[in-house]
Amino acid sequence: MADIALYHGGPASNGLKALLALHEKGVEFEPRFLDLRSFQQHDPAYLAINPAGQVPTLLHGGRVLTESTVIAEYVDAVFEGPALRPADEWDRAQMRIWTKYVDEVFRPALSFLAWHAMMPGLRAQMGEDNFEERLRHIPLAEKRDKWELAAKGGFTAREVATWRRDLEDVTGRIENALGSGPFLVGSEPTLADYACFAMGYRMPQGHPHLVNPDRTPRMIAWIERLMERPGVRKAVNVPTPGRG
């Protein structure tokens, strides 16, 4: 077990993508939780493993692998267990279109809107000096600049409208795709489903105007269908020490 470990920030977003792959594959691994609210991802000990200061990070046999989509594909390719990618090459290409869409559109829209909503309050709670000090510990300049911009209310109305439209588009796209079957690609869940689920399974609570039984009944049923899977339940209930 110690040969395989995953640093993650809990059952959400990119960290959940990797957790889903490991649990659905049935891989025994050591989960190593980092409290992102306490900025443990920026601690020197973790930066020595992942200099970008982001989660998730997979350790396997002394080697380090980052990027959640790459981790999920690696887990499927390397470990025994149920296949998480379609055998048919056309279907596999469709799966990768979905995972690319998640990385380039779905996840950024969710993240930027969350920062837009939360960062000003976090800055006020921490105080200006403490917040500026925390910014200096963020390794990636692009992310550091985005956090600062969000905290100071610098996102434009046009940017916010674009991200909201992106979420409307992606939920509509998922709903339409599920008209052809129970999952996004084929008759069994794939990494396409797990990538979208990791971003979207909390949207009925966080964005109920977009994901609800009237607008997206298929997506609601799809979330419920995936939640019935033992591996998915394990992933979304992964221990997060210190959280209430």
Side-chain angles (χ1 to χ4, degrees), residues 128-209:
E128 186 67 24
D129 290 343
N130 287 338
F131 186 76
E132 292 293 332
E133 175 63 21
R134 179 49 55 191
L135 286 178
R136 285 192 284 271
H137 285 83
I138 299 176
L140 297 180
E142 180 182 1
K143 190 167 188 178
R144 185 167 61 244
D145 292 345
K146 287 290 187 182
W147 276 32
E148 183 174 21
L149 191 63
K152 296 179 179 179
F155 289 151
T156 67
R158 184 173 183 177
E159 287 175 316
V160 173
T162 296
W163 298 324
R164 288 174 176 162
R165 186 174 63 248
D166 285 344
L167 290 188
E168 183 176 358
D169 289 346
V170 73
T171 51
R173 180 171 175 174
I174 291 171
E175 182 70 12
N176 289 337
L178 292 170
S180 301
F183 300 105
L184 296 176
V185 181
S187 60
E188 296 295 330
T190 70
L191 295 181
D193 296 280
Y194 300 131
C196 289
F197 177 88
M199 305 301 147
Y201 86 106
R202 289 178 174 171
M203 287 188 73
Q205 295 77 42
H207 299 270
H209 63 295

Side-chain angles (χ1 to χ4, degrees), residues 49-95:
I49 299 168
N50 184 341
Q54 299 192 108
V55 291
T57 297
L58 181 75
L59 304 184
H60 181 207
R63 296 187 294 183
V64 175
L65 189 63
T66 63
E67 301 297 334
S68 58
T69 297
V70 176
I71 289 171
E73 291 194 4
Y74 175 83
V75 166
D76 188 46
V78 169
F79 298 106
E80 296 182 357
L84 306 183
R85 295 173 295 171
D88 179 79
E89 289 297 338
W90 176 264
D91 287 345
R92 187 170 293 195
Q94 302 312 303
M95 180 210 78

